[in-house]
Every structure is written in structure tokens, then in C-alpha cells.
Amino acid sequence: MPETSQQGGSGPTLREVLLHRGYLRLLLVSALVGIPVSLAAFGFVGLEHELQHWVWESLPETAGYGRAPWWWPLPALLLAGLLLAPIEGHLALLPGHGGARAEAERLAREAAEVAEREKLPVVACQAWQLLALLAREHGFDDADACLERMLAVAEEHALPVWRVEALLRLGGNAFLRTGDARRIREARDAARDLGALVLAQNADGLLAMDALQRADFTAAREIIERCLEPSARMRNLGIHRYLLLVAAAVAAHQGRRRQMERELLRFERADDSASFLTPVLHGLCRAFCALLEENRAQALEELAASAAWEDRHPSVFYISGRHGLGPLLAVIADTADRSVYATVLAAPAAALAWNRQFLVLAEAVLLGREGRGREAAGLVDLASQEFRGFPTARHLGLRLVAEAALADGWGDPVTWLRTAEEYFHQAGVRSVAGACRSLIRQAGVVVAQRRTGRELIPEGLRRVGVTPREYDVFALLVERPGNQDIAQRLSISPRTVEKHIASLLHKTGCTDRAELCGLARALCGD
């Protein structure tokens, strides 16, 4: 969920808030949670740049603001006087450092309770919101309990914007857990009725992610196009960057690498810092796109980069692959056993719907290797039914698990491959469709070569007799790959690629491969 926020409603005066001990406790929590510079780094030339970046960009984003609000210098002044807290504060946000995080949570909870007792409802809402973010490490039930308390405070003290903020965050958690975005839509409607445009944009950003996961790419693009310019104009930078990244993911989930990289370039230009969205960039965008290109090695590299970033930085996003797609690929490659799987399954993020669909398939592969084929096949069928709302991911999962089932001799991999092949053929993802056909043939089953698809070939190429299979090769020449790469992605031999290239040169009249690649870029650049 993009971590942005907006204040509003009635409450005590600014002077009362700033002088009250409850607010001072909250500032202390901010110091413990957010100071990103250790004493060991003090004195180096890069200290000032690093401190400014974390205090003015990363810390506000972590705390729930798209950009630093006008009062941000006040806690920053306090941070300068607390040079003994940096190491503990930095560790408090890093995954796996439970002691420091536990202390930060204790202080945040104390600040929230004091704020409620002393009738400082806005401060209490801020504290419960921060506590909900930290509590995700334990589980989303704990996070929701904090948000429910935030909602109760907002309703009791008639703070309508904070109420919508709580509703939106509860809806975001529900979406992550179940894949159901209805509560987000309700929060968006409430924000619109209230005139809280920033919160409405935040909700739309989550709905764009929902549309992406449901493979409703048209709806995702409509939301992005409608909200991108207004979010930039209103300086709602957190959601603006989030929308740019979702735009890249939309291209990635259709196997359109060049378009994805163009969108990622826009994202990087809008966010030239170490963004908290970096794991999503590697996992949900580049790794997923690589799998749709049948480039397993690159997908694993991107997932490893995502995990490495999360090891070094705080992270508030949980669907980048570490808790779902990555473990499935590791189990299929036989580089992760049941003990590794059990560790992943114990993390709260494993319960999120997007991750769970891949973990169910990983369990199926493990069961199949243990000789429990009937149970394994039952899990694949269960996943196909339970996660129908994620069609692209579901069919990619079928393609991946069928390969393992063929190797280990369990289930009905041919049926799974036929289902996946039909989906990816209709979606125009030729690499995966071709891989499915190749695996079906490896199973000893005759698979008819598809003769349809001529409607996808540009008119000029159809006139000179380019076949659908030749066009598959031609379309890949946009990226200037070698014959070996093309062969791997289309599941054909390099010799067959050579024959198709020769035929394309003859039919198009191009003098050499470079000219043919230029023509491909002109006709198939998107």
C-alpha cells in the first residue's frame, strides 16, 4: 500500500500539541523509528547528503506521508539532539531486528495511549497509524487492531479525514489478505464525498494494483491515466510514483519489456532516490516479465536483487516475490527444501493472497517429490479454483508446476499445460505459449501447431507471405537477441531460428540482420 497520508478535522491548537508530553513522546518514537544514520558514519563526507535524504524523503514516506509536511522541521530538530539513538532507531525498522522494533512499538503504543487519555486525538491517530505499520511484522491481525483503534478515535472525536484514512488502510490490508478490493472502493467513495482528494488518489492507486493482479490491464491504465497528472500537480508524490510503477507492472505482466523499461525510466526520473518501491520494481515488474519471456535465470536474479534490497532497508511492501514467487521457483529448481518452505510459510506475508497462490503450488511440488502425487494434484486443482481472480499469475503457476510434475511423474501436467497454453496464446505471450507446447511434446503427446494468429501480423508482412511462426521470431528482433536466446524463448532449435531469419530476409528484402532488426523495431516497437 502506498504510504501517504493527510490530516484534517478539529483538534487542539498547534501550540498545545507541540508542548504536550504526549506529542514529545511521539517525537521520541519518530526519532527511534526514523534516524537512518549511525554514529559510525558521522564525519564522513556523505553524511549530510544521507541524512537529508532519509530525514526529508524516506522517513516521511515510512511514517505515512507522500512528502514532508510543513511541520516536519520540528521533529528534525529533536533528531539532531538525539545522537545516542541512531543505531537502535535504524535497526528498529529493519526486518528481523525484533528487539529494537519491539521497543519502538512499545513507545508508539504508550504515546498513543497517552494521547488518547490526554484528549489529543490527532496525535493518537498518528501514533496508531505508525503502530499499524510496525505491527505488520507480527501479522495483519495486529495491524488491523491498531487501525480499528485509530478508526474508533477518529469517529469519537469527529475527525472525518482521519476516519477515511483508517478505512482506506483497513481496506488495503483486506485487499492484500484476500484479493478483494471492495473496502478500498468504499473508502475511495467516502474520500470523494468528503472532498479528500489525496485520499481518493491513494485509493485509486490501490485499485490500479487490484486491476493489474486481475489482469484487467485496460482498467489499470484508465486509473493511471486519470490520476497521474493530478497527483503530480497536487504534490502527492508517494502515489504519483506508485502509479508510475504500476504502469510498468502492467507492461511487465503482458511480457512487453520495452514498454516496461520506458515506464520504469519515468519512475526513476520521478524518484531518483533509494525508493521503498525498489523491491516491487525488481519482483513484480522485471522478474515477472522475465518469466513471461521464459528467462528463468534473469527472473531469479531480479528476485535476488529484491531480497537483497529488503535485507538492507525497511520495507512496507510484501508482494515483490520474497514470500511467494521466489520460493516457488526455488522449490522447482530444488534449491529449497521443506525446511526453507516452512520458514517462508511462517512469515505473516505468506498469508497474503498474491503470495499464497504461489506457496500452495510450492507445497504441491514438494508433495509430488515425496511420492504423494494425489495430494499434490489436489493442491494444484485447489489453487486453480481459489485464485481464479489472478488469471495471469494462475496460468503462469500452472506452466511452472507442470514442468515439475512432468519431471517427477505426478498429477495431470498435460492438461495444466494445455490450459496455460490457451491462455497465453490468447494473451499474445508467445514465449510461454511456445514453452507449454514444447513441454506437451516432451510428454509424448501430439500437439497441433497453431495456424491462427495471422491477424496479429502487420498488413505489409502478410502481403509478402510472412507466417505466424516467422512473425514470432521477427517480433523478438526488436531487442536484437541472438539466435540462442530466440530459440530458448520460443522453445525451438537455433537451427530453426536461422531458417526463419533467412526466410524473413528474403521476404522483406532486407539486406542484413541489422536492417531486419530496424524494420522489426519500426513495426513492433511496442
Side-chain angles (χ1 to χ4, degrees):
M1 177 175 177
E3 298 298 328
T4 54
S5 180
Q6 176 175 320
Q7 296 189 30
S10 60
T13 66
L14 176 62
R15 184 174 183 277
E16 291 173 335
V17 171
L18 295 180
L19 295 179
H20 198 278
R21 62 180 182 178
Y23 188 69
L24 293 178
R25 289 178 183 271
L26 186 63
L27 291 180
L28 178 60
V29 172
S30 299
L32 290 173
V33 170
I35 304 175
V37 182
S38 69
L39 288 174
F42 189 82
F44 286 90
V45 175
L47 175 63
E48 181 180 2
H49 170 76
E50 187 70 14
L51 182 60
Q52 288 178 353
H53 165 67
W54 278 88
V55 170
W56 294 100
E57 296 187 37
S58 295
L59 179 57
E61 188 173 346
T62 303
Y65 299 91
R67 63 189 180 95
W70 66 267
W71 48 264
W72 201 253
L74 298 174
L77 291 174
L78 179 62
L79 301 186
L82 294 172
L83 291 178
L84 294 178
I87 295 177
E88 181 181 0
H90 184 53
L91 290 177
L93 259 184
L94 291 177
H97 293 74
R101 181 183 285 267
E103 178 64 12
E105 290 181 27
R106 185 188 68 79
L107 291 169
R109 186 175 297 276
E110 184 177 346
E113 292 170 351
V114 169
E116 285 193 50
R117 188 168 61 248
E118 299 298 332
K119 305 301 181 184
L120 296 172
V122 172
V123 175
C125 286
Q126 290 174 318
W128 285 118
Q129 177 178 279
L130 177 59
L131 194 57
L133 181 65
L134 294 169
R136 281 181 170 183
E137 187 82 351
H138 307 304
F140 279 70
D141 286 340
D142 289 352
D144 281 353
C146 296
L147 292 173
E148 292 287 359
R149 188 62 201 156
M150 174 184 169
L151 177 62
V153 171
E155 291 180 340
E156 178 184 353
H157 295 276
L159 300 176
V161 174
W162 281 107
R163 175 183 176 274
V164 173
E165 178 79 59
L167 290 173
L168 176 56
R169 290 174 182 272
L170 284 165
N173 283 358
F175 163 62
L176 287 172
R177 298 170 79 167
T178 67
D180 188 341
R182 282 179 293 182
R183 294 185 70 178
I184 298 176
R185 294 187 183 90
E186 293 171 1
R188 180 194 58 186
D189 294 342
R192 288 175 174 174
D193 292 341
L194 190 62
L197 299 182
V198 169
L199 289 177
Q201 288 174 356
N202 297 347
D204 275 327
L206 289 176
L207 292 174
M209 177 61 74
D210 168 60
L212 165 72
Q213 294 184 355
R214 290 186 292 102
D216 189 348
F217 304 124
T218 300
R221 283 191 294 266
E222 186 277 325
I223 294 172
I224 294 166
E225 291 170 2
R226 172 166 49 82
C227 298
L228 200 58
E229 190 277 331
S231 63
R233 186 177 64 250
M234 296 174 63
R235 302 295 293 169
N236 187 7
L237 299 183
I239 203 64
H240 181 74
R241 294 162 181 160
Y242 187 77
L243 288 167
L244 288 172
L245 196 61
V246 175
V250 167
H253 285 226
Q254 297 175 87
R256 299 177 178 177
R257 175 165 293 277
R258 285 174 60 84
Q259 183 180 343
M260 177 193 73
E261 293 296 347
R262 285 199 298 268
E263 298 293 353
L264 287 178
L265 182 60
R266 293 176 66 195
F267 167 75
E268 290 166 358
R269 286 172 177 169
D271 188 6
D272 58 0
S273 62
S275 171
F276 278 72
L277 291 164
T278 297
V280 184
L281 181 155
H282 286 295
L284 203 60
C285 293
R286 286 182 172 145
F288 205 95
C289 187
L291 288 175
L292 295 186
E293 295 170 333
E294 286 295 314
N295 191 338
R296 193 84 54 89
Q298 183 177 353
L300 291 170
E301 288 178 7
E302 295 293 345
L303 289 170
S306 176
W309 193 97
E310 290 180 327
D311 287 339
R312 300 190 306 270
H313 301 83
S315 181
V316 294
F317 298 98
Y318 300 95
I319 58 172
S320 57
R322 184 174 199 148
H323 304 284
L325 182 57
L328 171 60
L329 294 178
V331 167
I332 289 173
D334 206 13
T335 59
D337 58 15
R338 184 166 287 282
S339 64
V340 174
Y341 172 76
T343 300
V344 173
L345 201 62
L352 304 184
W354 181 261
N355 295 331
R356 198 166 66 249
Q357 64 179 327
F358 299 117
L359 293 179
V360 170
L361 295 178
E363 169 72 7
V365 174
L366 289 170
L367 288 172
R369 286 184 183 154
E370 294 166 358
R372 300 160 66 182
R374 180 172 297 180
E375 295 174 65
L379 281 181
V380 175
D381 292 340
L382 174 67
S384 294
Q385 292 299 319
E386 183 176 352
F387 302 108
R388 297 182 69 85
F390 303 141
T392 301
R394 179 169 68 90
H395 287 92
L396 178 61
L398 285 177
R399 177 262 175 271
L400 293 170
V401 78
E403 183 177 342
L406 278 174
D408 298 327
W410 57 273
D412 189 7
V414 171
T415 297
W416 301 335
L417 287 166
R418 288 190 187 280
T419 301
E421 191 275 339
E422 177 65 26
Y423 176 84
F424 287 111
H425 173 75
Q426 295 297 330
V429 184
R430 299 180 183 87
S431 296
V432 181
C436 291
R437 290 193 292 271
S438 177
L439 287 169
I440 292 171
R441 285 192 288 269
Q442 289 178 32
V445 177
V446 176
V447 54
Q449 185 74 14
R450 287 191 178 271
R451 299 301 178 185
T452 59
R454 288 188 57 81
E455 68 280 359
L456 301 176
I457 304 175
E459 176 60 29
L461 296 180
R462 285 205 303 269
R463 281 200 302 268
V464 297
V466 171
T467 67
R469 201 52 165 163
E470 289 171 346
Y471 182 67
D472 288 344
V473 173
F474 181 81
L476 292 179
L477 292 177
V478 170
E479 302 168 24
R480 295 180 178 271
N483 286 355
Q484 192 72 38
D485 187 27
I486 295 174
Q488 179 181 358
R489 290 167 65 174
L490 295 180
S491 299
I492 57 180
S493 70
R495 178 59 180 160
T496 301
V497 175
E498 290 179 15
K499 292 180 179 179
H500 287 323
I501 294 291
S503 178
L504 286 166
L505 288 170
H506 173 71
K507 291 179 179 180
T508 61
C510 292
T511 57
D512 55 27
R513 187 179 182 120
E515 185 178 351
L516 187 64
C517 289
L519 180 61
R521 186 174 296 105
L523 295 179
C524 310
D526 290 333

